Amino acid sequence: MAEITLVEAINQALAFEMQADPNVVVLGEDIAKNGGVFRATVGLLDKFGPERVRDTPLAESMIAGLSIGMASQGLKPVAEFQFMGFIYPALDQIINHASRMRHRTRGRLSCGVVFRTPFGAGIHAPEHHSESTEAIFAHIPGLRVVVPSSPARAYGLLLASIRNPDPVIFLEPSRLYRWAKQVVPNDGKALPLDKCFTLQVGMDITLVTWGAMVKETLAAANRLAKDGISCEIIDVATIKPLDIETILASVEKTGRCIIIHEAARTCGVGAEIAAQVAERGLMFLQAPIQRVTGYDTIVPYARLEKIYIPSENQIIETVNKVMEFA
Amino acid sequence: MAEITLVEAINQALAFEMQADPNVVVLGEDIAKNGGVFRATVGLLDKFGPERVRDTPLAESMIAGLSIGMASQGLKPVAEFQFMGFIYPALDQIINHASRMRHRTRGRLSCGVVFRTPFGAGIHAPEHHSESTEAIFAHIPGLRVVVPSSPARAYGLLLASIRNPDPVIFLEPSRLYRWAKQVVPNDGKALPLDKCFTLQVGMDITLVTWGAMVKETLAAANRLAKDGISCEIIDVATIKPLDIETILASVEKTGRCIIIHEAARTCGVGAEIAAQVAERGLMFLQAPIQRVTGYDTIVPYARLEKIYIPSENQIIETVNKVMEFA
Amino acid sequence: MKIVAHFEIPYYQIVNEEGKITSDVPEFAKDPDHLIRLYRVMILNRLFDLKAIALTRTGKLGTYPSARGQEAVFAGMGDAIEKEDIFVPYYRDVGTLIQRGVKLKEILLYWGGDERGNAFECGGKDFPYSVPIGTQMLHAAGIATAFRIRGEKRAVLVTCGDGGTSQGDFYEAMNVAGVWKLPVVFVICNNQWAISVPRSQQTASQTLAQKAIAAGFSGEQVDGNDVIAVRERIFLALKNAREKNEPTLLEIVSYRHADHTTADDASRYEPKNQRELEWKNEPIARLYTYMTNLGMWSKEKDQALNEECAALVEQSVQDYASIPSVSPEVMFDYLYAVLPEAYKEQRDMLIKRGESAHG
Amino acid sequence: MKIVAHFEIPYYQIVNEEGKITSDVPEFAKDPDHLIRLYRVMILNRLFDLKAIALTRTGKLGTYPSARGQEAVFAGMGDAIEKEDIFVPYYRDVGTLIQRGVKLKEILLYWGGDERGNAFECGGKDFPYSVPIGTQMLHAAGIATAFRIRGEKRAVLVTCGDGGTSQGDFYEAMNVAGVWKLPVVFVICNNQWAISVPRSQQTASQTLAQKAIAAGFSGEQVDGNDVIAVRERIFLALKNAREKNEPTLLEIVSYRHADHTTADDASRYEPKNQRELEWKNEPIARLYTYMTNLGMWSKEKDQALNEECAALVEQSVQDYASIPSVSPEVMFDYLYAVLPEAYKEQRDMLIKRGESAHG
Ligand SMILES: Cc1ncc(C[n+]2csc(CCOP(=O)(O)OP(=O)(O)O)c2C)c(N)n1
Ligand SMILES: Cc1ncc(C[n+]2csc(CCOP(=O)(O)OP(=O)(O)O)c2C)c(N)n1
Ligand SMILES: [Mg+2]
Ligand SMILES: [Mg+2]
């Protein structure tokens, strides 16, 4: 079986579920004939036709609002926003409607939609193409927020997201779209939407991360292992609802915790994880929790984006600092 | 001198600054002839005329986008969003433009706007009128987020916000609009935008809060004092940038910290404060940090909103729990 | 210079303010029972509004938006729409909801601050009120898209106010309805005010109906005080939607004979006398005159109907009062299809607190 | 039924695809120097685009959006607008920016991934490129509002693509411009494509110009391959804006003779031959023919001009290459007017890291 990239795994999951469930409809800008600017939806138009694979006019609030209407009648819209920087016009529809349709109708209507979008910096894109604002969605009750970091997890988590009856914000790290290949059997098996994935078991320190930063974190842990520091790596994967139990159990074991994310530090999801570990795991902590994050600045345009993204070195330095804490 | 309410203090500050600075322009829905649905802008149309006091068509993205354009040419727009639940259509303009105009033009253009909006539950308003989503704004680099909790602070902080050359999100706790009256001299004196206010000095525990929850926090501290528990109360007031030094200094003294906010817990601003205290003040902590917050649910419609808002009792219980921690 | 496109906006009226016929009477309006049904909904709506306003004064309801003066549009819509169609209201559409099977006590429950009022005992997939102005237009387009994808011959009817036409969502919805040929009818309830902002300050477009030109389909104005014209034009537009996948924009022109909501005080901004001047056009008297002139209605019948409707309203207030109060943990019960582990502790805490608050 | 409003959309052309005059030639176009100036901008734009595309291939630029085939609209705008007016571009407007005083090396710097390209050494308060589609229309309306409040006789010129007309912001901006009588000219650069989505799938409206009807002011189509018509219509619209506070919507119709950007591959979706068929309309050849026919231009002059422009482009590439690299801490230096205490530690960390990365 051939190895596939993360974006190919997305495509595989979409095709699988469209085949399995006639209610699944894919929509977005340039997703039909063009197959998506990242090629995530390539081939779907030919396989499933223009009724179920729809190029929309250029309007993101519209994409979200349409999806909400469609979902209310039992369809399963999977909508693509071309980049996370362009999802903001849809926030009103997402916050004021998608997240609360079930709640405010006491279950009479629901909103089983998946809003997919590539996110993060590092692909030399124009301004506004490199945002990581997952924290906004993580704050909104009623939403689920899912971030895959490997082809296999992209496949399994996307299937789970489509099958889940709640609105899901599905964030795809564009920096990983073509990073690593993996064999991903097209078996239609979903992964759980409420569990962290422990990517590496370790004894000395817990590194909690998600999305594109999994790459640097794995690399850092690899180098740290050579210095005899054994890192446990947790890929949060589902940011909302948060599986804090897995994280706490790890911190109980290691006594140390670093959270790594690309988003700006202040009020990022790292703050929530740190707060919960501090509230519930204070007694385990042998050193202060640390966050390695993007700066509290606008994500810079391409020239400086590499400097913005937390580096392998930054992670290693922070681990060393935490390990030295007495 | 007469005592005035918080909303009257807002009005006083607007009138003062419009008089002092001809560049200040006020705009929003129903703010001119009608004086605003909460009467915050009452009288301004008569004093300053229809060019500078503008009823807009009903469109929030438009209100934000217009303000950005106006500010780029040196005006000082102070725009009202009728309720926080209706600011979301403007998030795209705020996140993609207001917050970064100075940054992306390397200072050539700037965006000195104030976006005012009432927020919070507890006034028996319809659905979507009771949100507290300050955390969204607190996450966005380039913005300032300010929340007054008394007439005097409303006056001084609003003046400071208008005079500040950065974009300010100015959140007015509608539950406090007519809660307490205070003499507020119309002296044009601004308050600092980067300092917490210590409302009450105490020795045993630090209570960190802002906005409408100042009310319950003060009341709880009052009752706790009778049991011999001395609370230090910090009104964060400016949520972004965060004056963590004042909070840390207090926690260093008391060894205990509770953060109280009305917004949903997950990824609320309380998480950021807890994270920073845990990172930088771990050695001071005699008990785990706790958060007393709104639930991770949609703010319920009027019938249940009182149950949603954290109560005086909840604060007292949490303080007692933290005080008992050994 | 050559002209490459031209457009016209028609205005429809069948019965004028004197109760006189000004154009062909449609078939349905020749049936007295049908007219009386329409009339009854308008009376019920008006009496219900008065009662609801009274209830807000005693704190039994929160804010309430009255339809006074606009009853014809809500009655006409409810009458024109088929059961299988979907209705997407804004927040003033009590008259239509009644005809869709929503109970008066549910409407009271909603404006009394309880989401159970959105649960609609009658079932169905109509939307609840939309508070964020304009957003619902897109939901309607989405529902219509679902019908197209499934090949169902159903239509969607959606409403907004004159103020709502300024929102981007209004336009985006019309635009996609035009280009995707969606079976949706957009209705603007033009009552001349958006809270305190008059129609003239909302937009410079001569009519609101012409906004459809931007989306490439037809728009028309209808006399909103003429329930016969309203019902007929909406009926035909829905038919067109169902049969030809043609969207339509209808601007129903009337006047808001009330404060915006009970939280508003129109005397601050409404020119003195304007309401009085407009009152001669109000829709209930017009249909009364028309039917009385034709001998199908009388003062006596009117009184009986008013009494019947008043009793219904009274009953609904009692039904409302006897609805058992709700457990706070519903906040969590409808948040997700299945409550995630992460929030169970919060739900338990809420229940514990609720108990101690009561005990 | 009566007709209460009617509208027409005109189409303007002065020189057709054969270089023949089809309507009155405006005064400015009788001045050969003026025409040559316009022609020069178009040539410069085209050569610059080709160079920029080449630079992306070697990684010296990031993504770049070519104006090939649309040079007339950008040249015409830059010529028509006054210095005191404000220009609010979308992202394809190189030809206009040049005329506004922005240096070619700055444009390269921008597309090379550096915000300094937005700093415009020439100063002024023109806006930088707008990447989030449609948002800039509102900025233009806001700037125009500032002019009205201050009583300044200045106008604002703003652009978007055909795709951009589907955004709510586009409509909201036009609506407020209409009702507030704002001195703003909205220009739609209709190149028939929004990335892969053809004009026909973007909206059902017969013309894009008619979208102005929704906002209550006039819209017109202009032959976008006829730089004389483009320049004249924009000039008049700006004049109207300045003198009468009348907004206008101009749909400039041309064709995108390029991939959407260098990150795109139009062969995936563009029908074969369409580009070739459209090429006979392209604006540079048309003006060349027109001027040559009138004896004011020649092959020799053309070659000289091309050489001069190529040299300018070449020089700009060298200037670009010699711009010193930027210190990472600029991220913080332009974030706020004065960096708040809360972020100083992060800035220091960044500097420290930068040093160690270099050292
Ligand atoms: C997005 C949004 N902004 C503001 C409001 C507050 N608001 C409620 S009703 C209203 C006026 C609506 O006027 P119109 O659309 O004409 O409808 P009407 O109430 O007159 O029937 C406003 C501004 C809102 N509900 N939603
Ligand atoms: C809000 C937003 N959504 C999506 C995009 C991605 N995007 C960039 S250009 C483009 C197509 C624009 O087409 P059009 O408006 O016709 O302008 P053109 O590029 O053809 O000149 C899209 C979808 C964006 N930049 N902004
Ligand atoms: Mg209205
Ligand atoms: Mg285009």
Side-chain angles (χ1 to χ4, degrees):
Chain A
M1 209 182 290
E3 297 192 317
I4 60 176
T5 61
L6 196 155
V7 70
E8 286 163 347
I10 298 285
N11 186 264
Q12 180 172 300
L14 288 172
F16 184 94
E17 204 57 13
M18 289 193 82
Q19 189 69 51
D21 180 354
N23 285 318
V24 178
V25 172
V26 168
L27 68 159
E29 294 158 11
D30 306 292
I31 61 104
K33 190 112 181 229
N34 194 37
V37 294
F38 283 105
R39 331 287 304 125
T41 52
V42 75
L44 299 180
L45 176 64
D46 287 345
K47 271 190 219 131
F48 303 104
E51 285 293 341
R52 292 178 63 201
V53 182
R54 293 184 163 246
D55 273 335
T56 64
L58 209 174
E60 286 76 10
S61 182
M62 188 208 68
I63 292 174
L66 281 178
S67 301
I68 292 164
M70 290 160 77
S72 74
Q73 309 301 310
L75 290 184
K76 283 276 183 176
V78 183
E80 174 175 307
F81 295 90
Q82 209 159 71
F83 286 89
M84 192 170 206
F86 309 136
I87 204 173
Y88 306 134
L91 284 178
D92 183 38
Q93 289 285 353
I94 294 173
I95 298 175
N96 267 334
H97 289 295
S99 75
R100 60 176 86 186
M101 193 54 79
R102 177 186 299 278
H103 187 266
R104 56 188 296 261
T105 61
R106 293 294 173 244
R108 188 170 57 83
L109 299 180
S110 62
C111 190
V113 299
V114 179
F115 292 133
R116 297 177 42 240
T117 190
F119 82 124
I123 56 163
H124 304 286
E127 283 188 288
H128 302 274
H129 286 66
S130 305
E131 333 298 305
S132 296
T133 39
E134 65 270 20
I136 293 178
F137 301 98
H139 184 51
I140 305 301
L143 297 180
R144 291 174 180 269
V145 184
V146 179
V147 188
S149 69
S150 75
R153 284 189 294 280
Y155 180 79
L157 290 171
L158 183 51
L159 285 179
S161 297
I162 301 175
R163 291 171 195 170
N164 188 287
D166 306 317
V168 178
I169 311 294
F170 194 87
L171 302 173
E172 302 166 6
S174 48
R175 189 150 60 88
L176 302 192
Y177 264 154
R178 298 185 171 82
W179 169 51
K181 291 193 168 201
Q182 202 175 10
V183 170
V184 182
N186 195 10
D187 55 11
K189 285 209 185 111
L191 286 167
L193 275 193
D194 51 6
K195 282 276 160 247
C196 297
F197 296 92
T198 302
L199 302 187
Q200 180 177 303
V201 175
M203 294 308 296
D204 297 329
I205 188 164
T206 302
L207 306 183
V208 181
T209 189
W210 56 90
M213 289 311 300
V214 164
K215 178 166 176 268
E216 284 75 14
T217 305
L218 284 169
N222 210 17
R223 276 172 53 196
L224 286 159
K226 292 179 189 138
D227 297 338
I229 298 175
S230 155
C231 300
E232 180 139 315
I233 301 179
I234 295 179
D235 175 3
V236 178
T238 295
I239 280 180
K240 186 185 190 71
L242 190 65
D243 168 20
I244 196 70
E245 303 307 332
T246 299
I247 297 169
L248 280 175
S250 174
V251 177
E252 178 168 5
K253 179 174 70 174
T254 63
R256 293 176 162 89
C257 180
I258 296 177
I259 303 145
I260 299 139
H261 63 66
E262 186 175 313
R265 165 171 307 223
T266 296
C267 288
V269 176
E272 178 62 34
I273 297 172
Q276 289 203 38
V277 172
E279 280 159 9
R280 304 167 57 165
L282 187 67
M283 45 291 187
F284 314 139
L285 286 175
Q286 293 165 35
I289 306 160
Q290 294 291 305
R291 287 179 286 169
V292 179
T293 70
Y295 297 103
D296 276 317
T297 72
I298 308 302
V299 184
Y301 192 2
R303 283 257 182 124
L304 293 177
E305 63 180 343
K306 274 225 180 102
I307 293 182
Y308 176 86
I309 299 171
S311 66
E312 207 178 302
N313 279 344
Q314 267 168 272
I315 300 170
I316 290 172
E317 279 164 30
T318 311
V319 169
N320 284 330
K321 200 175 85 182
V322 170
M323 292 308 299
E324 280 160 22
F325 189 90
Chain B
M1 207 180 290
E3 295 193 317
I4 59 176
T5 61
L6 197 155
V7 71
E8 286 163 349
I10 298 285
N11 185 265
Q12 180 172 300
L14 289 171
F16 184 96
E17 205 57 15
M18 289 193 81
Q19 190 69 49
D21 180 354
N23 285 319
V24 178
V25 172
V26 168
L27 68 158
E29 294 159 11
D30 306 292
I31 60 103
K33 189 112 179 231
N34 195 36
V37 294
F38 284 106
R39 331 290 301 126
T41 53
V42 74
L44 299 179
L45 176 65
D46 287 346
K47 272 190 217 129
F48 304 104
E51 284 293 340
R52 292 177 64 202
V53 182
R54 294 186 163 244
D55 274 333
T56 63
L58 209 174
E60 285 76 11
S61 182
M62 187 207 69
I63 292 174
L66 280 178
S67 302
I68 292 164
M70 289 159 78
S72 74
Q73 309 302 309
L75 290 184
K76 282 276 183 177
V78 183
E80 174 176 306
F81 295 90
Q82 209 159 72
F83 287 88
M84 192 171 206
F86 309 136
I87 204 174
Y88 306 134
L91 284 177
D92 184 38
Q93 288 285 353
I94 295 173
I95 299 175
N96 266 334
H97 289 296
S99 75
R100 61 176 86 186
M101 193 55 79
R102 177 186 300 278
H103 188 266
R104 54 188 298 260
T105 62
R106 293 293 172 245
R108 186 171 58 83
L109 299 180
S110 61
C111 190
V113 298
V114 179
F115 292 134
R116 297 176 41 241
T117 189
F119 82 123
I123 56 163
H124 305 287
E127 284 188 286
H128 302 274
H129 286 66
S130 305
E131 333 299 306
S132 296
T133 39
E134 65 270 20
I136 293 178
F137 301 98
H139 185 52
I140 304 302
L143 297 180
R144 291 175 181 268
V145 184
V146 179
V147 188
S149 68
S150 74
R153 285 190 294 279
Y155 180 79
L157 290 171
L158 183 52
L159 285 178
S161 297
I162 301 175
R163 292 171 194 168
N164 189 286
D166 305 317
V168 178
I169 311 294
F170 194 85
L171 302 173
E172 303 167 5
S174 48
R175 190 151 59 88
L176 301 192
Y177 264 154
R178 297 183 172 84
W179 169 52
K181 291 193 167 201
Q182 200 176 13
V183 170
V184 183
N186 194 9
D187 55 10
K189 285 209 185 110
L191 286 168
L193 276 192
D194 51 4
K195 282 277 161 244
C196 297
F197 296 93
T198 303
L199 302 187
Q200 180 177 305
V201 174
M203 293 308 297
D204 298 329
I205 187 164
T206 302
L207 307 183
V208 180
T209 189
W210 56 91
M213 290 310 302
V214 164
K215 179 166 175 270
E216 283 75 15
T217 305
L218 284 169
N222 210 17
R223 277 172 54 196
L224 286 160
K226 293 177 189 139
D227 297 339
I229 299 175
S230 155
C231 300
E232 180 138 314
I233 301 180
I234 295 178
D235 175 3
V236 178
T238 295
I239 280 180
K240 186 182 189 76
L242 189 64
D243 168 20
I244 196 70
E245 302 306 332
T246 299
I247 296 169
L248 281 174
S250 175
V251 176
E252 179 168 4
K253 178 175 71 175
T254 64
R256 293 176 161 88
C257 180
I258 297 178
I259 302 145
I260 299 140
H261 63 66
E262 185 176 313
R265 165 171 307 222
T266 296
C267 287
V269 176
E272 179 61 34
I273 297 172
Q276 289 203 39
V277 173
E279 280 160 10
R280 305 167 57 164
L282 188 66
M283 44 293 186
F284 314 138
L285 286 175
Q286 293 164 36
I289 307 160
Q290 294 292 305
R291 288 180 285 169
V292 179
T293 70
Y295 297 103
D296 277 317
T297 73
I298 309 301
V299 185
Y301 193 2
R303 284 253 182 128
L304 293 176
E305 63 180 343
K306 274 224 180 99
I307 294 183
Y308 176 87
I309 299 171
S311 66
E312 205 178 303
N313 279 344
Q314 266 168 273
I315 299 170
I316 291 173
E317 279 163 31
T318 312
V319 169
N320 285 330
K321 199 175 87 183
V322 170
M323 291 309 297
E324 279 158 24
F325 190 91
Chain C
M1 196 259 280
K2 66 177 184 222
I3 300 302
V4 287
H6 56 93
F7 310 95
E8 289 180 341
I9 300 298
Y11 175 90
Y12 291 91
Q13 184 191 60
I14 290 164
V15 175
N16 73 8
E17 51 279 14
E18 286 150 24
K20 301 265 157 61
I21 292 167
T22 58
S23 61
D24 292 351
V25 175
E27 217 42 52
F28 87 86
K30 291 171 185 161
D31 171 7
D33 288 348
H34 205 144
L35 289 189
I36 294 167
R37 275 207 307 279
L38 280 169
Y39 187 74
R40 182 175 172 281
V41 175
M42 294 200 289
I43 293 287
L44 189 55
N45 196 352
R46 185 161 294 178
L47 294 178
F48 181 79
D49 279 356
L50 291 174
K51 176 60 75 178
I53 293 169
L55 291 175
T56 62
R57 297 225 179 85
T58 58
K60 292 209 178 97
L61 287 192
T63 309
Y64 181 82
S66 167
R68 187 175 182 81
Q70 297 179 249
E71 293 89 349
V73 51
F74 301 117
M77 286 195 297
D79 192 77
I81 188 174
E82 299 281 332
K83 192 169 185 305
E84 297 68 35
D85 296 338
I86 291 283
F87 180 54
V88 182
Y90 72 134
Y91 47 76
R92 223 178 264 286
D93 323 51
V94 164
T96 314
L97 292 188
I98 303 171
Q99 296 172 83
R100 296 297 286 171
V102 180
K103 301 244 169 72
L104 290 178
K105 69 168 183 188
E106 292 181 291
I107 297 166
L108 291 173
L109 188 61
Y110 180 80
W111 294 107
D114 191 324
E115 292 90 345
R116 284 178 296 172
N118 281 332
F120 298 178
E121 286 176 12
C122 62
K125 300 252 177 238
D126 280 0
F127 262 50
Y129 300 98
S130 177
V131 175
I133 308 264
T135 52
Q136 72 276 14
M137 308 310 265
L138 285 168
H139 306 155
I143 298 166
T145 305
F147 294 165
R148 288 230 49 177
I149 291 175
R150 293 197 185 125
E152 295 171 346
K153 288 263 168 259
R154 299 162 68 189
V156 188
L157 180 65
V158 61
T159 57
C160 73
D162 43 309
T165 66
S166 292
Q167 286 284 9
D169 279 3
F170 166 82
Y171 169 71
E172 293 183 5
M174 289 212 302
N175 189 56
V176 71
V179 72
W180 285 4
K181 290 192 113 294
L182 298 178
V184 55
V185 176
F186 299 98
V187 171
I188 303 168
C189 306
N190 176 3
N191 62 7
Q192 313 301 336
W193 294 98
I195 307 188
S196 72
V197 179
R199 157 70 180 81
S200 59
Q201 281 183 43
Q202 198 61 243
T203 179
S205 78
Q206 197 180 330
T207 66
L208 300 177
Q210 78 201 48
K211 291 177 184 284
I213 297 171
F217 56 85
S218 58
E220 53 185 65
Q221 273 192 336
V222 184
D223 181 343
N225 294 308
D226 174 3
V227 71
I228 297 177
V230 170
R231 191 275 179 192
E232 178 67 3
R233 296 313 306 171
I234 293 175
F235 177 81
L236 291 176
L238 284 165
K239 197 158 172 293
N240 251 337
R242 261 180 246 110
E243 291 175 5
K244 300 192 211 146
N245 289 313
E246 272 177 17
T248 309
L249 175 66
L250 294 163
E251 176 192 357
I252 316 285
V253 186
S254 64
Y255 195 81
R256 193 190 78 199
H257 285 283
D259 294 336
H260 166 68
T261 65
T262 49
D264 177 47
D265 174 4
S267 72
R268 284 185 199 139
Y269 53 80
E270 192 181 19
K272 276 200 186 60
N273 303 329
Q274 186 167 355
R275 216 184 275 184
E276 267 166 68
L277 285 171
E278 294 284 349
W279 187 248
K280 69 171 193 303
N281 291 318
E282 73 88 19
I284 292 184
R286 186 180 304 189
L287 186 56
Y288 177 94
T289 310
Y290 177 73
M291 292 199 302
T292 313
N293 286 349
L294 289 181
M296 55 174 92
W297 199 243
S298 68
K299 216 172 175 175
E300 295 67 40
K301 286 185 184 161
D302 204 62
Q303 192 170 340
L305 178 69
N306 268 276
E307 278 161 19
E308 183 225 321
C309 289
L312 277 177
V313 169
E314 209 45 64
Q315 183 61 47
S316 76
V317 176
Q318 286 172 30
D319 295 348
Y320 167 55
S322 67
I323 294 171
S325 73
V326 72
S327 314
E329 66 269 23
V330 292
M331 281 190 226
F332 285 99
D333 294 342
Y334 295 103
L335 191 61
Y336 294 91
V338 177
L339 189 68
E341 273 304 313
Y343 308 119
K344 288 196 175 148
E345 199 181 310
Q346 288 189 23
R347 183 175 181 275
D348 292 344
M349 237 166 59
L350 174 57
I351 293 174
K352 223 181 72 195
R353 269 200 209 113
E355 273 166 11
S356 66
H358 282 260
Chain D
M1 196 260 282
K2 65 178 187 223
I3 299 302
V4 287
H6 56 93
F7 310 95
E8 289 181 337
I9 299 298
Y11 176 91
Y12 291 92
Q13 184 191 62
I14 290 165
V15 175
N16 72 9
E17 51 279 15
E18 283 148 26
K20 300 265 157 60
I21 292 166
T22 58
S23 61
D24 291 352
V25 175
E27 218 40 54
F28 87 86
K30 292 173 183 158
D31 171 6
D33 288 347
H34 205 145
L35 289 188
I36 293 167
R37 276 208 305 281
L38 280 169
Y39 186 77
R40 182 176 172 281
V41 175
M42 295 200 287
I43 294 287
L44 189 55
N45 196 352
R46 185 162 294 179
L47 294 177
F48 182 79
D49 280 355
L50 291 173
K51 177 57 76 178
I53 293 168
L55 291 175
T56 63
R57 298 226 179 83
T58 58
K60 292 210 178 94
L61 287 193
T63 309
Y64 181 82
S66 167
R68 187 174 182 81
Q70 299 178 249
E71 293 89 349
V73 51
F74 302 116
M77 287 196 296
D79 193 76
I81 189 173
E82 299 282 331
K83 191 169 185 306
E84 297 69 34
D85 295 337
I86 291 284
F87 180 54
V88 182
Y90 72 133
Y91 47 76
R92 223 178 264 288
D93 322 52
V94 164
T96 314
L97 292 188
I98 303 171
Q99 296 172 83
R100 296 296 286 171
V102 180
K103 302 244 168 72
L104 290 178
K105 70 168 182 187
E106 292 179 291
I107 296 165
L108 291 173
L109 188 60
Y110 179 80
W111 294 108
D114 191 324
E115 292 90 344
R116 284 178 297 172
N118 281 333
F120 297 178
E121 287 175 11
C122 62
K125 301 252 178 240
D126 280 359
F127 262 50
Y129 300 97
S130 178
V131 175
I133 308 264
T135 53
Q136 71 278 14
M137 309 309 266
L138 284 168
H139 306 155
I143 299 165
T145 305
F147 293 166
R148 288 230 49 178
I149 291 175
R150 293 196 185 125
E152 295 171 347
K153 289 261 168 260
R154 299 162 68 188
V156 187
L157 180 64
V158 60
T159 57
C160 73
D162 44 309
T165 66
S166 292
Q167 287 283 9
D169 279 3
F170 166 82
Y171 168 72
E172 292 183 5
M174 288 213 300
N175 189 56
V176 71
V179 72
W180 285 4
K181 290 191 113 297
L182 298 178
V184 55
V185 176
F186 299 98
V187 170
I188 303 168
C189 307
N190 176 3
N191 62 8
Q192 313 302 335
W193 294 98
I195 308 188
S196 71
V197 179
R199 157 68 181 80
S200 59
Q201 281 182 44
Q202 198 61 243
T203 180
S205 79
Q206 197 180 330
T207 66
L208 300 177
Q210 76 201 49
K211 291 178 185 284
I213 297 171
F217 55 84
S218 58
E220 53 184 65
Q221 273 191 337
V222 183
D223 181 343
N225 294 310
D226 174 5
V227 71
I228 297 176
V230 170
R231 190 276 180 192
E232 177 68 1
R233 297 311 306 170
I234 293 175
F235 177 80
L236 291 177
L238 284 166
K239 195 158 173 294
N240 251 335
R242 261 180 246 110
E243 293 174 5
K244 299 192 212 145
N245 289 312
E246 271 178 17
T248 309
L249 175 66
L250 294 163
E251 176 193 356
I252 317 285
V253 186
S254 65
Y255 195 81
R256 193 190 78 200
H257 286 283
D259 294 336
H260 166 69
T261 65
T262 49
D264 176 48
D265 175 4
S267 72
R268 286 184 198 140
Y269 54 79
E270 193 180 20
K272 278 202 183 63
N273 304 329
Q274 185 167 355
R275 214 183 276 184
E276 267 165 67
L277 284 172
E278 294 284 351
W279 188 248
K280 70 171 192 305
N281 291 317
E282 73 87 21
I284 291 183
R286 187 181 304 189
L287 186 56
Y288 176 94
T289 310
Y290 177 74
M291 293 198 302
T292 312
N293 286 349
L294 289 180
M296 55 173 92
W297 199 244
S298 67
K299 219 173 173 173
E300 296 67 39
K301 286 185 184 161
D302 205 62
Q303 191 168 342
L305 178 69
N306 269 277
E307 278 163 16
E308 182 225 323
C309 289
L312 277 177
V313 169
E314 210 44 67
Q315 183 62 47
S316 75
V317 176
Q318 286 172 32
D319 295 347
Y320 167 56
S322 67
I323 294 171
S325 72
V326 72
S327 315
E329 66 270 21
V330 292
M331 280 190 227
F332 285 99
D333 294 341
Y334 295 102
L335 191 60
Y336 294 90
V338 177
L339 189 67
E341 273 304 313
Y343 309 119
K344 287 196 176 148
E345 198 182 310
Q346 288 189 23
R347 182 175 182 277
D348 291 345
M349 238 167 58
L350 174 58
I351 293 173
K352 224 182 72 195
R353 271 203 205 109
E355 274 167 8
S356 68
H358 283 258

